[in-house]
Amino acid sequence: MGSPVKHSHGIFVTGTDTGIGKTVVAGGLALALKEKGIDVGVMKPVETGCQLHNGQLIAKDALFLREVCGVSDDLALINPYRLPDPLAPAIAAERSGVKIDMDVIRLTYLGLSSKHQAVIVEGAGGLLVPLTDRYFMADLARILELPVLLVSRASLGTINHTLLSLNYLQQAGLRTIGVVMNRSTPENGIAEQTNEEALKRLIDCPFLGTMPFVSVINRDTLLSAFTNNLDLAPILEYLKSA
């Protein structure tokens, strides 16, 4: 495999688990940065659980990111790998007879980054989700040399999951640019009411805020929720220096 990307500019969005709203946060971030006058591209290197429609696999997350960001990049660049089974990429690829090539992802990212000031790259699942037999999702952030934005859920268990993920990022030598808590459901129990303040006390990286539950997601509601509740300063500072 080729050497890591040099002088890359972008953010790698991952989560403490699957199904916690990484795509919504990634899309909101891309949209908010675009509103700041930054030319933003988006990438979802591997998407699993794609449904077959008219003989083609439909990558809903990748399509959502492209639509929200308003870019015209070819979907094959935004999403080089689409797989039907809703499984970890390595397993879904094996079941489909597909070989995920990290160099293909790396070179595709280079192509996108040459066209945009910044690229928001959304992973699949959490940091230790296997992409191949040799590489985990965290390895992709390392290869692309991107800082990580960690998305956590608001519900019970998030403190443990978030601290474990942050500890792994530190051990792996990956930079964490911040944590975003995402309310992916309208539930508002005692855990949801207290977890934000607890995490703020326990983590040693920027807590960028809590994304509120958005019942109807479109460009306007997403931009409003993101800009009114999240602190973009650490990300903007990074992009200026990249």
Side-chain angles (χ1 to χ4, degrees):
M1 193 189 66
S3 58
V5 171
K6 297 298 182 184
H7 308 299
S8 57
H9 46 293
I11 306 291
F12 189 87
V13 179
T14 190
T16 56
D17 201 353
T18 188
I20 62 172
K22 292 187 305 297
T23 303
V24 171
V25 173
L29 175 59
L31 188 54
L33 292 176
K34 189 171 183 179
E35 288 293 308
K36 296 283 187 183
I38 299 172
D39 179 5
V40 181
V42 290
M43 187 178 186
K44 174 88 175 183
V46 182
E47 184 165 341
T48 64
C50 299
Q51 295 185 349
L52 195 64
H53 182 70
N54 293 332
Q56 291 188 326
L57 288 171
I58 305 301
K60 289 185 178 179
D61 289 353
L63 286 169
F64 172 82
L65 290 174
R66 184 172 71 170
E67 181 179 348
V68 163
C69 198
V71 294
S72 58
D73 298 320
D74 192 282
L75 192 60
L77 294 177
I78 295 172
N79 175 231
Y81 291 101
R82 306 174 191 86
L83 300 163
D85 293 325
L87 303 169
I91 302 168
E94 182 180 9
R95 284 173 55 87
S96 296
V98 173
K99 175 180 169 55
I100 295 177
D101 189 329
M102 300 296 277
D103 258 342
V104 168
I105 297 175
R106 183 179 66 88
L107 293 171
T108 302
Y109 170 80
L110 278 173
L112 282 174
S113 65
S114 70
K115 299 171 63 177
H116 300 282
Q117 289 176 276
V119 180
I120 308 302
V121 181
E122 185 201 343
L127 291 164
L128 288 178
V129 166
L131 268 172
T132 71
D133 289 342
R134 294 179 56 200
Y135 296 102
F136 295 103
M137 199 60 62
D139 292 313
L140 181 56
R142 175 181 54 79
I143 289 165
L144 300 182
E145 290 195 337
L146 295 179
V148 173
L149 175 65
L150 181 66
V151 181
S152 66
R153 65 175 81 247
S155 57
L156 189 65
T158 194
I159 294 174
N160 180 60
H161 293 159
T162 303
L163 295 180
L164 284 172
S165 297
L166 291 173
N167 183 66
Y168 182 83
L169 286 167
Q170 184 179 35
Q171 295 297 320
L174 293 169
R175 174 181 175 181
T176 305
I177 203 164
V179 173
V180 170
M181 183 176 284
N182 182 47
R183 287 178 173 262
S184 56
T185 72
E187 186 175 353
N188 190 35
I190 189 67
E192 287 78 9
Q193 295 172 34
T194 58
N195 277 334
E196 177 178 328
E197 288 303 317
L199 271 182
K200 286 179 181 178
R201 294 195 303 267
L202 293 167
I203 65 176
D204 57 4
C205 66
F207 183 86
L208 304 185
T210 296
M211 187 81 170
F213 174 70
V214 180
S215 58
V216 178
I217 298 176
N218 55 46
R219 288 173 62 93
D220 290 338
T221 60
L222 192 55
L223 180 62
S224 175
F226 207 96
T227 56
N228 290 334
N229 296 279
L230 300 180
D231 178 15
L232 284 176
I235 292 174
L236 292 171
E237 188 64 31
Y238 160 74
L239 292 176
K240 286 179 183 177
S241 65

